[in-house]
Amino acid sequence: WTPEEVALWLSSIGLAHCAKSLSEGLIGGADLVILTASDLSDLGIRAVGDRKLILKAVRQLEADVEQFNTATGLWSLHFLHLGASP
């Protein structure tokens, strides 16, 4: 995902107010999946609750992709890691 796509995803899960910080940090899909709470704080996400929600949503997104891959017979196709469009 591009940083713009990450911002759209954040908006879609109710975290639009965090999108600008990640966009300004040029956080794309490959970066999104390896972010830590400390990284989010460095990017300007000050509220602990927002950091936790973002990290939880990323884990859920990864689980959803894995479930899709299993259901469709695909193996390890993690579009976020590859940087492809969602």
Side-chain angles (χ1 to χ4, degrees), residues 3-83:
E4 293 79 18
E5 290 168 324
V6 169
L8 286 172
W9 173 73
L10 284 168
S11 294
S12 76
I13 61 169
L15 293 166
H17 60 283
C18 298
K20 184 177 178 185
S21 295
L22 271 69
S23 290
E24 289 177 350
L26 300 176
I27 302 301
D31 302 311
L32 184 65
V33 297
I34 59 172
L35 282 177
T36 65
S38 178
D39 293 332
L40 291 170
S41 182
D42 291 345
L43 288 164
I45 309 297
R46 298 288 174 230
V48 173
D50 286 344
R51 292 194 304 261
K52 287 184 176 196
L53 286 172
I54 291 169
L55 294 173
K56 181 180 177 183
V58 169
R59 286 192 309 271
Q60 183 61 54
L61 183 59
E62 287 184 300
D64 291 347
V65 169
E66 190 63 36
Q67 183 178 7
F68 173 81
N69 291 342
T70 300
T72 61
L74 299 175
W75 51 274
S76 298
L77 178 62
H78 291 278
F79 58 84
L80 290 174
H81 293 287
L82 299 175

